[in-house]
DNA sequence: CTCCTATCCTGCGAGC
DNA sequence: TGCTCGCAGGATAGGA
């Protein structure tokens, strides 16, 4: 499901559910691994842990407790939801029981997701080597031009590389490139400064707007539970192969697999 | 270093 | 209707 906006909204949903008083009663795994092994031994130490705060880094959600931090990545199909007794679903892999009787379920059919544990005061390999957050000021044109200066790979692949900038996935990469008029196949190092500025502005704009749209559904946390797809966003190019471009009203949207991922663009608007 | 491919896994919709 | 096939929003390892 998720790129950065979706993860941010799930994080806020969890935040609103958990508040600042929640304590974990127990964590139960219905299998021993997702993509990687679940930290079942660390989970065993969690009964009684107080949840202190929720945060997000890249597409990871961090659930900080007084016994360490749970690290969640939703992969392609991961979802968190409130799951009262009797509302189990196929592919529920982990349940977090709260002391107040509620229960969170992590469901992930494809199991591309990840659940890990960070011991208090320690770092975690998954969080090393991540590029800047796209909505922070450090993600700016001079940074980006530097990061791309020796990259001959397509710009679309480059902006999806989490070491360049985090959180931009396949859909928003296509959308941001369209909005900034940059051809997705352009060698990254050939990006002009003015286009870098435009691209950064559009990435920030698109991600911010998507968070806002998703945020409006937060009160109904069930909606943060996948299946609904992205936030009813109107995509300008994504999944619009062969359809007329909304901007120039002339060209048909092209599709090409770039770096193994479907990519969409307007040949007129993106030279 | 960078680049490129394959791969993990299930579900769904298009097409026959 | 039922079946097969291709594809899906992520991330990584490993080899060139």
């Amino acid at each position: 499901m998720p790129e950065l906006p979706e993860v941010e909204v799930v994080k806020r949903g969890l935040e609103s559910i958990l508040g600042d008083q929640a304590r974990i009663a127990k964590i139960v795994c219905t299998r021993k691994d997702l993509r990687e092994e679940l930290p079942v031994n660390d989970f065993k130490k969690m009964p009684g842990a107080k949840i202190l705060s929720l945060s997000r880094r890249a597409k990871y959600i961090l659930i900080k407790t007084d016994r360490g931090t749970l690290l969640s990545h939703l992969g392609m199909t991961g979802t968190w939801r409130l799951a009262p007794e009797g509302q189990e679903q196929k592919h529920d892999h982990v349940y977090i029981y709260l002391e107040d009787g509620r229960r969170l379920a992590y469901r992930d059919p494809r199991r591309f997701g990840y659940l890990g544990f960070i011991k208090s005061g320690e770092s975690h390999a998954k969080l090393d080597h991540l590029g800047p957050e796209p909505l922070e000021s450090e993600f700016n044109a001079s940074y980006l031009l530097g990061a791309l200066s020796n990259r001959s790979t397509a710009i679309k692949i480059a902006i999806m590389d989490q070491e360049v900038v985090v959180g931009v996935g396949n859909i928003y990469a296509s959308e941001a490139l369209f909005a900034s008029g940059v051809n997705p196949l352009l060698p990254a190092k050939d990006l002009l400064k003015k286009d870098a500025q435009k691209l950064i502005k559009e990435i920030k704009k698109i991600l911010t707007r998507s968070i806002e749209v998703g945020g409006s559904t937060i009160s109904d946390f069930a909606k943060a539970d996948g299946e609904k797809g992205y936030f009813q966003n109107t995509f300008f190019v994504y999944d619009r192969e062969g359809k007329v471009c909304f901007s120039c009203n002339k060209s048909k949207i092209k599709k090409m697999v770039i770096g193994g991922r479907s990519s969409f663009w307007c040949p007129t608007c993106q030279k």
Side-chain angles (χ1 to χ4, degrees), chain A residues 124-196:
Chain A
H124 195 287
K126 297 280 185 201
L127 303 180
D128 292 343
H129 312 298
L130 289 175
E133 287 287 327
L135 299 180
E136 299 292 321
S137 59
E138 58 189 308
F139 182 55
N140 54 45
S142 65
Y143 162 77
L144 184 61
L145 291 169
L148 301 182
S149 63
N150 56 352
R151 300 273 218 138
S152 55
T153 194
I155 183 69
K156 174 165 181 281
I157 294 175
I159 61 171
M160 289 176 64
D161 183 336
Q162 62 169 354
E163 294 198 31
V164 172
V165 60
V166 302
V168 181
N170 197 41
I171 291 181
Y172 296 131
S174 278
E175 293 295 315
L177 288 165
F178 172 78
S180 50
V182 174
N183 189 295
L185 290 165
L186 179 78
K189 63 186 177 187
D190 294 343
L191 187 68
L192 299 174
K193 185 174 182 187
K194 69 175 173 57
D195 289 331

Side-chain angles (χ1 to χ4, degrees), chain A residues 205-257:
Chain A
K205 196 199 288 186
I206 286 170
L207 296 181
T208 301
R209 192 192 309 130
S210 298
I211 291 170
E212 287 167 3
V213 173
S216 66
T217 67
I218 269 186
S219 58
D220 182 2
F221 187 62
K223 284 186 184 164
D225 167 28
E227 316 307 331
K228 304 283 190 280
Y230 277 35
F231 306 131
Q232 263 70 54
N233 264 322
T234 311
F235 298 131
F236 284 87
V237 288
Y238 183 80
D239 206 23
R240 295 200 66 244
E241 181 187 18
K243 300 192 171 147
V244 174
C245 173
F246 289 138
S247 182
C248 68
N249 277 313
K250 189 175 69 182
S251 290
K252 292 182 174 176
I253 302 303
K254 285 199 174 307
K255 173 182 177 177
M256 178 186 266
V257 175

Side-chain angles (χ1 to χ4, degrees), chain A residues 104-122:
Chain A
L104 287 171
Y106 178 71
R107 177 172 185 267
D108 188 357
R110 283 175 79 181
R111 303 206 302 273
F112 280 16
Y114 173 81
L115 269 180
F117 187 81
I118 312 174
K119 292 183 170 62
S120 294
E122 295 190 5

